[in-house]
Amino acid sequence: MGNLAHEDDSIAFQTVNQTNEYHQDREVVPAFEDIMDVIGSTGKFQKRLNTVFICYGTIVNVLSTQMYNFVMQTPDHWCHVPGREFTNLTLDEWKSATIPKEGGTFSKCLMYNGSALDGASEVPCQHGWEYDDTWYPLTVPSEMNWVCDDMYIVSDVMFYAQNIGAGLGLLFGYMGDMYGRRPLQLACVVMHVVSKLATLCTPSLIPLFVVAESLGVGVAGVMLESAVSVGTELTDIRNRSCINCMACIGVPIGLVSTCLCVQMFPSWKHSLLFAVLCCLILLLFCRWFPESPRWLTCRGREEEALRVLRRVAATNGSSLPPFTLQVLHRVAKAKRDRVGYLAIFSSWNLFRNTLLLVIAKSLCWMTMLALVLSVGIISVNPLVAVSAQAVAQAASVLLQHYCGTHFGRRWSSVACLALVGFLGALCVVLLTVGVPSVAMAVVVMAMQFWSSAGSAVANLQSIEVHPTCLRQITASVECTVAGVCLSLVPYIVFQGGSVDRRLPFAILSAIHLLGALSVSFLPETALQRLPESLQDAAEFGRGRPYFSWRLIAPPSYVQGQ
């Protein structure tokens, strides 16, 4: 991956080096990026950090989070009617004799009070239920019989766990900027373990079951963001897109791994225990996850930052440059900055960028969930459906990495959202004229492709736009608002579709086209130094023309010596 990033970025970097006249009137001062260039930004230290916490850590994070969604699936079910063991009837023949039909399929909640041949009346299930384990083994709803009159429990549990988790995400995001990336990362892994163990013990105690799962939901987003933040903060300008690409590819791999685990193990309890084991393995390598030297410096802890940088340099077989202390002293001035959620409003530039990234993330997440809801009503092997989506997501991330590196983040994001909008409009036209379902499926998968790419761009922009002192807080705000917006998707898909099946696509098309226009006002972040302080964030991207296509790199202090 490191070689891929340098090959991809070498062309762009050679191009932007010809445009340094933009910076000729500015004094060249050393920055953290210059320190990383000297001590090694893709050395042994970064390789093991990226392999364990960005690649494997992302897979484990997704596995632990999505495992809950799979074990909460309700398999096809019908009333259990005893006595079949005393006959030679097949299952379908026995169901035909004992279970009434509703709309051409066997009822899930009714049975005959006797035999259908005798004209028996229909009554609710008297002896429990039987479950189809073709796609899913024993799940939580099938073990607890959360079906028929109790089917509301499944949706209520998932609704409250998601929303409580969104609130906890704000708390954990605040922790990341107040107490550091390393404590946050380790706390997130521990919370995954506690969440899964508590979930195993509390399905009969629904309030505790909800709280247990909300812990896993709450740490999922911030765990990913903290790992990617440290990875990008410890690399050079040209390699940041590669770090984000590695994390984003881990998401579809985690989804497929989750589906495989659920189908491989005979019970949901075994699946959750496997997720716990994966998290414990990650904890074994906790010493390889450092505290961010940028964050330490911004908090005024320069000596600790210096020790981390020396450790990185020693691992990579290099030494610190002589201007290291100069950079640390300059960045340490940010310790006077107010840290907290209100700091987002410290400048119009910072607030505007945060708002635009909230819009971008929300739109991409809403579209991806809408597609998941559409696939969920199709009776197919879930492993096949998830694998198809994973392939599309992985391909889109690789395309985003290439476009974001060569053409910039801003216009790549605009293109992704605009293409989703145009494809949504195409769906409206296709539904109006009437086309085969295969054609619709192709267009919908294309929407998923570009939504996934847009989400990857937004994640990278979020890290590169926000200052070090607020990077976790702003990321948690974006994820929380996007998570709340996801609650609108069922209404758009199901209720809007019941009025007119073209309406959901028309709504998605309109909001994505407006979103594409909005995110075009974000500053270009490719090949730019990461902002450290609130003052840096207030000035980031200002003074650059709107219709700008060239990627302009800042002059290197090291090359100028």
Side-chain angles (χ1 to χ4, degrees):
M1 277 293 185
N3 294 333
L4 173 64
H6 282 293
E7 290 175 2
D8 286 345
D9 287 303
S10 60
I11 299 175
F13 204 68
Q14 290 170 5
T15 301
V16 298
N17 279 341
Q18 301 172 4
T19 63
N20 278 346
E21 64 271 10
Y22 179 84
H23 299 278
Q24 286 178 355
D25 58 341
R26 303 186 180 188
E27 179 184 0
V28 179
V29 295
F32 255 106
E33 285 77 7
D34 298 304
I35 297 178
M36 300 312 303
D37 284 337
V38 174
I39 67 176
S41 58
T42 57
K44 177 182 177 181
F45 190 94
Q46 285 84 357
K47 288 178 180 177
R48 69 188 189 186
L49 170 67
N50 297 339
T51 301
V52 175
F53 288 96
I54 294 182
C55 294
Y56 176 73
T58 299
I59 295 173
V60 171
N61 188 14
V62 174
L63 177 74
S64 179
T65 305
Q66 294 299 324
M67 189 73 75
Y68 176 71
N69 294 328
F70 278 93
V71 301
M72 286 297 288
Q73 294 290 327
T74 303
D76 187 24
H77 54 277
W78 55 89
C79 296
H80 171 67
V81 181
R84 181 186 165 215
E85 61 273 17
F86 303 112
T87 70
N88 294 323
L89 299 178
T90 64
L91 178 59
D92 286 339
E93 291 173 342
W94 182 253
K95 289 167 68 176
S96 297
T98 59
I99 307 295
K101 286 192 174 183
E102 296 177 339
T105 60
F106 290 107
S107 173
K108 300 179 184 298
C109 303
L110 297 176
M111 57 179 284
Y112 287 121
N113 187 19
S115 174
L117 300 177
D118 300 330
S121 60
E122 299 177 1
V123 296
C125 298
Q126 303 295 308
H127 310 285
W129 292 264
E130 294 183 36
Y131 295 90
D132 183 3
D133 60 358
T134 302
W135 305 132
Y136 297 103
L138 186 65
T139 64
V140 179
S142 60
E143 180 179 299
M144 303 303 298
N145 288 324
W146 289 342
V147 294
C148 296
D149 291 341
D150 291 332
M151 64 182 301
Y152 70 91
I153 295 178
V154 176
S155 56
D156 284 355
V157 166
M158 298 186 74
F159 174 82
Y160 287 113
Q162 175 66 38
N163 284 277
I164 294 174
L168 291 175
L170 291 175
L171 176 63
F172 282 107
Y174 182 81
M175 173 182 172
D177 280 330
M178 290 299 297
Y179 303 106
R181 294 6 175 187
R182 177 178 165 82
L184 174 62
Q185 183 73 194
L186 300 182
C188 288
V189 180
V190 171
M191 285 298 102
H192 272 307
V193 174
V194 172
S195 170
K196 296 301 167 284
L197 293 178
T199 301
L200 287 169
C201 303
T202 58
S204 58
L205 303 172
I206 296 179
L208 295 180
F209 188 76
V210 171
V211 173
E213 186 47 39
S214 66
L215 292 176
V217 175
V219 301
V222 291
M223 178 178 171
L224 175 63
E225 293 288 347
S226 66
V228 177
S229 292
V230 173
T232 54
E233 289 169 358
L234 286 176
T235 192
D236 57 32
I237 291 176
R238 293 164 290 174
N239 202 42
R240 293 200 300 252
S241 180
C242 184
I243 301 296
N244 182 67
C245 182
M246 294 165 64
C248 291
I249 287 182
V251 174
I253 295 176
L255 284 173
V256 175
S257 301
T258 305
C259 195
L260 283 172
C261 291
V262 171
Q263 293 195 331
M264 180 174 60
F265 294 113
S267 169
W268 66 275
K269 294 181 179 180
H270 297 91
S271 299
L272 292 187
L273 287 174
F274 179 77
V276 170
L277 176 62
C278 293
C279 291
L280 292 177
I281 292 175
L282 189 61
L283 282 177
L284 295 177
F285 299 93
C286 62
R287 62 183 299 272
W288 285 0
F289 193 91
E291 185 54 84
S292 167
R294 290 176 183 265
W295 179 84
L296 288 170
T297 307
C298 287
R299 301 295 291 176
R301 296 158 62 177
E302 300 172 57
E303 292 185 2
E304 295 178 57
L306 189 60
R307 285 198 295 269
V308 174
L309 291 173
R310 285 173 176 164
R311 178 184 166 195
V312 175
T315 305
N316 291 342
S318 58
S319 58
L320 293 177
F323 54 82
T324 300
L325 290 178
Q326 177 185 352
V327 174
L328 297 183
H329 291 328
R330 182 175 58 83
V331 176
K333 297 177 181 178
K335 67 181 180 182
R336 297 190 298 266
D337 289 341
R338 177 183 60 186
V339 177
Y341 288 101
L342 292 179
I344 296 175
F345 303 95
S346 61
S347 67
W348 165 248
N349 199 42
L350 176 58
F351 171 73
R352 183 199 63 178
N353 292 339
T354 304
L355 179 62
L356 294 178
L357 286 168
V358 164
I359 294 173
K361 281 191 177 182
S362 300
L363 292 178
C364 293
W365 288 17
M366 288 173 66
T367 302
M368 289 189 287
L369 178 60
L371 178 60
V372 170
L373 293 179
S374 300
V375 173
I377 62 176
I378 302 175
S379 181
V380 297
N381 187 332
L383 178 59
V384 174
V386 170
S387 298
Q389 292 189 42
V391 171
Q393 290 180 12
S396 68
V397 169
L398 292 175
L399 178 64
Q400 171 273 321
H401 170 62
Y402 177 85
C403 293
T405 298
H406 290 78
F407 307 110
R409 328 297 197 218
R410 182 165 70 112
W411 294 114
S412 296
S413 180
V414 171
C416 290
L417 295 182
L419 285 170
V420 174
F422 288 129
L423 288 170
L426 178 60
C427 287
V428 174
V429 175
L430 295 178
L431 288 173
T432 301
V433 300
V435 295
S437 58
V438 175
M440 278 295 302
V442 171
V443 177
V444 169
M445 287 304 295
M447 293 179 66
Q448 166 76 327
F449 180 91
W450 291 111
S451 293
S452 300
S455 177
V457 177
N459 289 337
L460 183 56
Q461 287 178 301
S462 176
I463 293 173
E464 295 179 329
V465 163
H466 294 132
T468 300
C469 58
L470 281 182
R471 195 160 288 134
Q472 293 297 135
I473 287 178
T474 49
S476 66
V477 169
E478 292 161 8
C479 291
T480 298
V481 176
V484 173
C485 290
L486 292 182
S487 62
L488 300 175
V489 175
Y491 297 97
I492 296 175
V493 174
F494 298 130
Q495 295 193 10
S498 64
V499 176
D500 189 326
R501 59 179 184 162
R502 297 171 297 181
L503 185 57
F505 294 102
I507 294 174
L508 291 175
S509 175
I511 60 178
H512 275 81
L513 291 176
L514 290 175
L517 177 63
S518 300
V519 299
S520 68
F521 292 97
L522 281 169
E524 180 55 69
T525 60
L527 302 180
Q528 299 302 306
R529 293 172 175 171
L530 296 176
E532 307 289 356
S533 64
L534 294 180
Q535 182 62 31
D536 293 340
E539 298 176 356
F540 189 83
R542 295 179 63 179
R544 298 177 188 171
Y546 177 81
F547 293 103
S548 174
W549 298 91
R550 294 189 303 175
L551 302 183
I552 304 175
S556 172
Y557 179 84
V558 176
Q559 295 177 356
Q561 298 305 299

